[in-house]
Amino acid sequence: MEAFVRRQTRRTLVDKRLDHLALAPAAAAICYPLLLKAFHAIVSTQAVSPPPLAIASATFILVVAFVVPFLGIALACRPTSNPGSRRLAYASVVSPTLYVFLGVVQVLIKSPIPDEVVWCAIWLGIAIWSQSARDPIAAAMPVVGYWRVVHGVTAAVLCLYVVFHLTNHLFGLMGPAAHAAVMKIGRLVYRSAVGEPLLVAAMLFQIGNGLFLAWRWSAAVHDFQRTYQVASGAYLSLFILGHMNSVFVYARSFLGIPTDWNFAIGAPTGLIHDAWNIRLLPHYALGAFFVLSHLASGLRVVLIAHGVDQRNADRLWDVCVAMSAIVAAAIIAGMCVVRNGVLAS
């Protein structure tokens, strides 16, 4: 009997050390570039009218690539995860935008090392860190009251720019001329000598504040809505930082080119048929989706705090998330189909 108890105890300890689900986010993130390469391998070898099997295979692979960040959100909800494993799950959510950021930085520093090699090293390092992190019995709820309010106020101000920017991209469905006309109006404000520095400063503050809040909130387990809010906020922090790096450093300073429509869609090959540009498709789609649904998450919290029934707030949140997906799909459709003419971005 004593020997049986020892074996059971040893098995429990081994199972705790070998928590495969805890490492699943890192494995999914490492596979993410391989999925994009597999997608490109299929679409780049097809004729103008690819067979149904090729279309189905490419679509399936791309869908699996999109699943990677949502797998991270699901695993971040695990009540048995320790803070290190939970933060690894949150980190995997930013994989699509982090991969674009890495690719741009690799070009800027003229690195001879393939992106995939650096990518694997990064995620192996994060995975090792997550398993070596301390495992407290119970994580205290983070105290983020003041910073949370400031984050919400800044987001409300930036919401004006975000809504305009996404609306402008939707005009891309109507054609290059419509998109350019709307963008020209917007640039009078956010490209002005006063507007642009203020916008950049607000974005940088929101990035720092958002990452701080995400780190504090990720110390404890939360319900799905809160977890989604934290995960989408982390994605947006990296997305905005990477987008600013691409526009201000890579395009304007490094290449000396305008950040026009052709730059955004990776002309002349586009987002789908280029081995590097395909990484921009999930990056843009999830960026548009998460920014709208993250705002909806903030609205849900405000409504509940002001006495709105949680079930009604959750229903509104569900509707907003569905609408966010529709808007993101429309924007990507425009970027993948409308490819003629020079438009501002």
Side-chain angles (χ1 to χ4, degrees):
M1 183 67 182
E2 185 177 336
F4 175 76
V5 172
R6 283 200 301 269
R7 285 198 300 271
Q8 290 297 105
T9 303
R10 190 180 304 112
R11 179 179 299 176
T12 301
L13 292 175
V14 171
D15 289 343
K16 185 175 181 180
R17 286 198 299 269
L18 299 178
D19 186 356
H20 300 295
L21 279 179
L23 295 175
I30 289 175
C31 292
Y32 178 76
L34 304 180
L35 292 169
L36 297 183
K37 289 177 73 70
F39 173 86
H40 178 260
I42 294 175
V43 300
S44 64
T45 57
Q46 301 302 319
V48 177
S49 299
L53 181 59
I55 295 176
S57 300
T59 302
F60 175 77
I61 292 172
L62 194 59
V63 168
V64 173
F66 271 93
V67 167
V68 170
F70 294 101
L71 174 65
I73 295 175
L75 293 178
C77 293
R78 292 175 67 208
T80 57
S81 295
N82 58 48
S85 298
R86 192 178 306 112
R87 283 168 171 154
L88 174 62
Y90 277 116
S92 70
V93 176
V94 309
S95 296
T97 193
L98 182 61
Y99 189 48
V100 173
F101 195 2
L102 171 66
V104 174
V105 171
Q106 285 274 94
V107 173
L108 288 174
I109 65 176
K110 300 179 180 179
S111 172
I113 306 175
D115 292 358
E116 294 77 13
V117 174
V118 179
W119 182 257
C120 288
I122 290 173
W123 283 102
L124 287 174
I126 296 176
I128 293 172
W129 167 84
S130 71
Q131 294 304 298
S132 62
R134 297 173 60 184
D135 185 11
I137 297 176
M141 292 298 291
V143 181
V144 294
Y146 173 78
W147 291 109
R148 180 179 172 185
V149 173
V150 174
H151 186 79
V153 172
T154 307
V157 176
L158 290 175
C159 183
L160 299 175
Y161 169 77
V162 170
V163 171
F164 173 82
H165 193 64
L166 295 180
T167 302
N168 185 205
H169 276 293
L170 287 174
F171 271 87
L173 289 167
M174 300 173 60
H179 184 282
V182 175
M183 181 60 70
K184 185 177 180 180
I185 296 173
R187 279 191 167 185
L188 295 176
V189 178
Y190 68 77
R191 279 290 186 94
S192 66
V194 176
E196 187 171 61
L198 289 177
L199 179 62
V200 170
M203 288 291 188
L204 290 175
F205 172 80
Q206 200 72 342
I207 291 169
N209 182 247
L211 290 175
F212 168 77
L213 291 174
W215 180 263
R216 296 297 297 271
W217 279 111
S218 63
V221 65
H222 304 285
D223 59 18
F224 177 77
Q225 282 84 358
R226 174 68 71 186
T227 301
Y228 181 90
Q229 185 177 11
V230 174
S232 58
Y235 184 95
L236 291 176
S237 294
L238 266 294
F239 178 86
I240 296 171
L241 184 62
H243 192 61
M244 293 174 66
N245 177 59
S246 297
V247 171
F248 293 108
V249 180
Y250 179 61
R252 294 193 190 179
S253 301
F254 186 77
L255 295 180
I257 60 174
T259 52
D260 54 25
W261 182 257
N262 287 338
F263 173 77
I265 67 171
T269 52
L271 300 182
I272 295 178
H273 296 282
D274 185 87
W276 198 100
N277 290 343
I278 183 56
R279 70 182 76 187
L280 295 174
L281 196 152
H283 165 75
Y284 285 141
L286 291 171
F289 172 71
F290 278 138
V291 71
L292 292 175
S293 55
H294 185 71
L295 291 172
S297 297
L299 176 62
R300 171 184 172 273
V301 172
V302 172
L303 292 176
I304 293 175
H306 285 77
V308 175
D309 183 74
Q310 182 171 339
R311 289 174 298 180
N312 293 331
D314 288 345
R315 291 191 189 101
L316 178 61
W317 182 80
D318 291 338
V319 172
C320 290
V321 170
M323 293 176 62
S324 300
I326 294 172
V327 171
I331 289 174
I332 285 300
M335 297 183 72
C336 292
V337 176
V338 182
R339 294 171 51 181
N340 296 320
V342 177
L343 301 179
S345 67

